[in-house]
Amino acid sequence: MLVDSHCHIDFPDLIEDEAGVLARMVDNGVTHALCVSVKLETLPGILALAERHANVFASVGVHPDNADCEEPDEERLLALAAHPKVVAIGETGLDYYWHKDAPEWQRVRFRTHIRAARRSAKPLIIHTRDSAADTIRLMREEDAGSAGGVMHCFTETREVAEQALDLGFHISFSGIVSFKNAEALRDVARYVPAERLLVETDAPYLAPVPYRGKTNQPAYVRHVAEAVAAARGETLAAIAERTTQNFFRLFKDAQPS
Ligand SMILES: [Zn+2]
Ligand SMILES: [Zn+2]
């Protein structure tokens, strides 16, 4: 039993083959998936998907890369998060890789999401790229720890992992942990306490070895879990059980079906 804690099944590459994507999850022992929002304009598609499938959950949020889209305020996020299949706020955070000018609107938007997460008592899904120091600083300033959540698709250093863990956050690994040149990230995977580990695909992006470069899908979270298990010297079964337990404890509004 495995859970893909972060994917984008609503994106064109995957939603065109919705039945196949869901069937291959079953074939690979992937029982549930969390389909993560990146902008409010596409949220209705995610909610409809989650309504069609008991084992698909949803989040509400606006990705830090998206500049030209509806800017949510706290009230709007809270209203949308009241949908019964919404189990998290995000993905949110900072991304100075795609926005090298480190715009103030990203930090304003991130603060809004943290406040909405605290008010809704739902955990945060945090994206950070080339912006770890500011991400951690804002998490501290806005008391993100009282909402809790996950650092998704983690690619930062062990020091950043330690700071996020100190705030009570979970660390989620994607297919990057299986890449040949990712030895430093596998060190982080060894370091994270078992009760804070999650696995994800971030599909359709970042397919794990042996599918690197192809379209990713939630079924492949099995290969992510295998890579994490190998790095930690544990069995796939142990990592699967642990990350599934962690998922349902963190995303407490997600009902296993
Ligand atoms: Zn992301
Ligand atoms: Zn994502």
Side-chain angles (χ1 to χ4, degrees):
M1 184 175 177
L2 278 157
V3 179
D4 185 355
S5 72
H6 188 119
C7 56
H8 303 283
I9 304 174
D10 60 309
F11 284 18
D13 281 347
L14 295 177
I15 200 71
E16 284 160 14
D17 183 27
E18 180 180 340
V21 165
L22 272 288
R24 284 187 294 278
M25 282 172 57
V26 174
D27 293 345
N28 286 275
V30 180
T31 55
H32 299 81
L34 172 47
C35 188
V36 175
S37 167
V38 298
K39 54 182 169 181
L40 301 187
E41 289 83 347
T42 49
L43 183 63
I46 294 176
L47 297 180
L49 179 76
E51 286 165 7
R52 282 196 294 279
H53 305 284
N55 62 338
V56 176
F57 306 110
S59 74
V60 166
V62 181
H63 194 290
D65 285 350
N66 291 328
D68 299 314
C69 59
E70 183 186 339
E71 191 65 46
D73 60 19
E74 280 176 59
E75 302 303 328
R76 179 97 168 106
L77 290 173
L78 283 171
L80 292 167
H83 185 286
K85 292 301 290 280
V86 171
V87 302
I89 301 294
E91 58 181 298
T92 182
L94 302 174
D95 191 324
Y96 299 164
Y97 178 84
W98 289 110
H99 293 273
K100 302 222 186 294
D101 57 337
E104 175 63 13
W105 60 258
Q106 277 195 358
R107 290 180 291 280
V108 170
R109 183 185 288 173
F110 186 26
R111 289 182 193 276
T112 297
H113 281 74
I114 297 173
R115 291 171 191 174
R118 290 176 49 197
R119 288 176 62 192
S120 67
K122 291 186 196 289
L124 285 154
I125 299 168
I126 294 184
H127 168 113
T128 183
R129 191 166 180 195
D130 285 4
S131 57
D134 274 5
T135 300
I136 295 288
R137 177 174 62 84
L138 264 61
M139 287 169 70
R140 287 181 179 143
E141 287 178 8
E142 297 292 339
D143 188 21
S146 68
V150 57
M151 309 301 285
H152 108 87
C153 192
F154 194 83
T155 54
E156 301 295 333
T157 60
R158 179 170 154 162
E159 287 65 37
V160 175
E162 196 173 345
Q163 291 165 348
L165 289 165
D166 282 348
L167 285 165
F169 271 68
H170 294 63
I171 306 286
S172 179
F173 293 94
S174 69
I176 294 174
V177 78
S178 72
F179 293 178
K180 198 172 172 204
N181 60 356
E183 199 47 54
L185 191 58
R186 283 187 283 277
D187 276 339
V188 180
R190 277 186 276 278
Y191 164 74
V192 173
E195 67 276 11
R196 301 288 190 86
L197 264 183
L198 291 172
V199 286
E200 66 173 84
T201 60
D202 209 8
Y205 311 118
L206 297 171
V209 173
Y211 302 106
R212 191 172 178 181
K214 302 225 167 68
T215 301
N216 200 0
Q217 56 179 304
Y220 294 168
V221 78
R222 182 191 187 95
H223 299 280
V224 178
E226 274 171 359
V228 170
R232 293 171 65 92
E234 297 182 47
T235 63
L236 172 61
I239 291 295
E241 186 181 345
R242 182 63 90 156
T243 53
T244 298
Q245 275 176 10
N246 293 346
F247 178 89
F248 286 106
R249 191 186 62 244
L250 174 62
F251 299 105
K252 57 194 182 315
D253 296 332
Q255 302 296 328
S257 55

